């Protein structure tokens, strides 16, 4: 049996169980954040110098701005632009591109 801690408020603690996951949630599992960020190698843009990363990729540049779909499509047209394979940017991109 649990014992309350003196001076601690438990008003915001839920007292009921969360609803069970939907069938879709059970099949798909926890969703990752969607979107891409761009890493410009050598600090410049150009052929062979850009890498798309999924937003939650550990190799994505810190503080990188999430790109809109239009920006992604524009940059993807440049020869040599690559997709990072670490966090599945390629698998996400093939669903959209």
């Amino acid at each position: 049996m649990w014992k309350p801690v003196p001076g601690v408020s438990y008003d915001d603690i839920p007292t009921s169980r969360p609803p069970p996951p939907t069938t879709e949630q059970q099949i798909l599992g926890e969703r990752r954040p969607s979107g891409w960020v761009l890493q410009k190698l050598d600090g410049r843009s150009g052929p062979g110098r850009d890498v798309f990363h999924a937003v939650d990729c550990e190799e994505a540049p810190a503080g990188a701005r999430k790109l809109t779909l239009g920006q992604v499509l524009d940059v993807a047209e440049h020869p040599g632009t690559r997709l990072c394979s670490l966090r599945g940017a390629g698998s996400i991109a093939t669903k959209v591109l």
Side-chain angles (χ1 to χ4, degrees):
M1 176 149 235
W2 70 277
K3 197 169 157 186
V5 176
V8 175
S9 170
Y10 295 92
D11 293 340
D12 294 330
I13 304 297
T15 57
S16 60
R17 293 182 185 267
T22 64
T23 303
E24 180 182 83
Q25 290 170 328
Q26 290 175 1
I27 293 169
L28 296 176
E30 188 175 323
R31 291 192 51 130
R32 289 177 45 201
S34 63
W36 301 274
V37 296
L38 188 65
Q39 177 183 17
K40 295 177 184 280
L41 301 178
D42 298 329
R44 299 183 310 240
S45 185
R49 291 196 173 95
D50 296 336
V51 180
F52 282 116
H53 293 275
V55 292
D56 60 344
C57 177
E58 61 192 41
E59 291 186 1
R65 186 172 51 90
K66 184 177 169 181
L67 301 173
T68 66
L69 180 57
Q71 291 169 320
V72 169
L73 294 173
D74 288 343
V75 174
E77 290 180 347
H78 298 155
T81 300
R82 316 184 273 123
L83 296 170
C84 171
S85 60
L86 186 63
R87 291 289 291 162
S91 64
I92 294 168
T94 56
K95 294 175 186 175
V96 175
L97 305 175

